[in-house]
Amino acid sequence: MTIASPREIAERYARVCEEVGPAVTVVVATKYVSAQEMGALAEAGVAVVGENRAQDLEEKHALYGDVFHWHFIGHLQSNKVKVVNRVCELVHSLGSDSAARRVEIPALLEVNLSGEESKSGVAPGEIAPFVERYPLVRGLMTMPPLADDPEDSRHHFHHLRELAAEHGLTELSMGTSQDYRVAAEEGATLVRVGGTIFAPDRS
């Protein structure tokens, strides 16, 4: 895809940062941004990017290095952990023992709150033993079911916040372009936004 201009990206990024407040880290999801287009995000002053695929992460980091803080937000396969350990500061999507045994950086445990079979992550009842086994887990992440109304996500975000508090975890990665405002209201410390920042011709 062709992304918006650096000026437009900077304006949108600043607006999202203002809306969620200084306590929330805005992670710009770059799954649909090519390695070459990442330069526009750098020019716009984007600080933290989240990548979904280890191969793309490696390619983009080779070009931009420490221009960004790198997070991994996609499904983490155990055979891809090595590059994530080398490049990233945080994994948002830890969901299996096979990957957790290899992760050497702080991570968030993905929780499947809706019970959808298509969703990754552990069930709420699995949080305690997972956290006990892997002390690098700093918090929780979730992806609510797709919904037209952002308010439909609120009870999922509220539930995740309660689970984090119950297990003594402080970081909450929740909220995407469609519902990041609600996520911030419910205690998110990180929101993952993409198209709302860089999609072209967005009115």
Side-chain angles (χ1 to χ4, degrees):
M1 65 176 290
T2 301
I3 66 173
S5 70
R7 179 184 60 79
E8 291 173 312
I9 293 170
E11 290 173 353
R12 297 171 188 172
Y13 179 63
R15 183 168 63 246
V16 171
C17 289
E18 183 177 359
E19 287 173 339
V20 299
V24 182
T25 298
V26 177
V27 181
V28 177
T30 54
K31 180 178 180 179
Y32 299 110
V33 180
S34 71
Q36 291 71 31
E37 290 170 330
M38 293 286 290
L41 303 185
E43 189 176 338
V46 168
V48 184
V49 295
E51 188 52 61
N52 285 68
R53 294 179 287 248
Q55 183 176 346
D56 293 342
L57 172 67
E58 196 163 28
E59 179 188 5
K60 292 171 182 178
H61 183 263
L63 289 174
Y64 297 98
D66 294 337
V67 169
F68 303 108
H69 297 276
W70 302 86
H71 290 193
F72 193 79
I73 62 175
H75 177 65
L76 184 61
Q77 297 174 297
S78 57
N79 63 341
K80 303 295 185 182
V81 172
K82 187 175 181 180
V83 63
V84 173
N85 282 336
R86 179 171 58 82
V87 170
C88 293
E89 297 180 359
L90 181 69
V91 174
H92 290 234
S93 48
L94 198 60
S96 71
D97 281 280
S98 59
R101 283 193 292 267
R102 294 168 171 82
V103 167
E104 300 170 354
I105 60 174
L108 309 179
L109 179 61
E110 184 171 1
V111 182
N112 185 345
L113 293 178
S114 63
E116 293 176 283
E117 291 186 5
S118 60
K119 287 276 196 301
S120 301
V122 304
E126 299 176 70
I127 295 172
F130 205 101
V131 170
E132 186 175 344
R133 288 195 300 273
Y134 305 108
L136 284 172
V137 173
R138 301 284 192 265
L140 305 177
M141 183 272 266
T142 198
M143 288 284 293
L146 287 174
D148 293 329
D149 186 350
E151 284 295 326
D152 290 341
S153 299
R154 187 178 293 277
H155 70 283
H156 292 288
F157 297 152
H158 185 81
H159 188 192
L160 195 75
R161 183 181 68 190
E162 290 182 330
L163 288 169
E166 179 183 334
H167 296 286
L169 301 169
T170 57
E171 299 293 337
L172 286 171
S173 174
M174 54 191 196
T176 59
S177 286
Q178 72 169 26
D179 53 18
Y180 66 86
R181 297 177 185 87
V182 173
E185 290 170 2
E186 290 298 332
T189 60
L190 305 108
V191 294
R192 310 175 305 273
V193 296
T196 213
I197 297 287
F198 56 70
D201 303 320
R202 181 174 177 270
S203 59

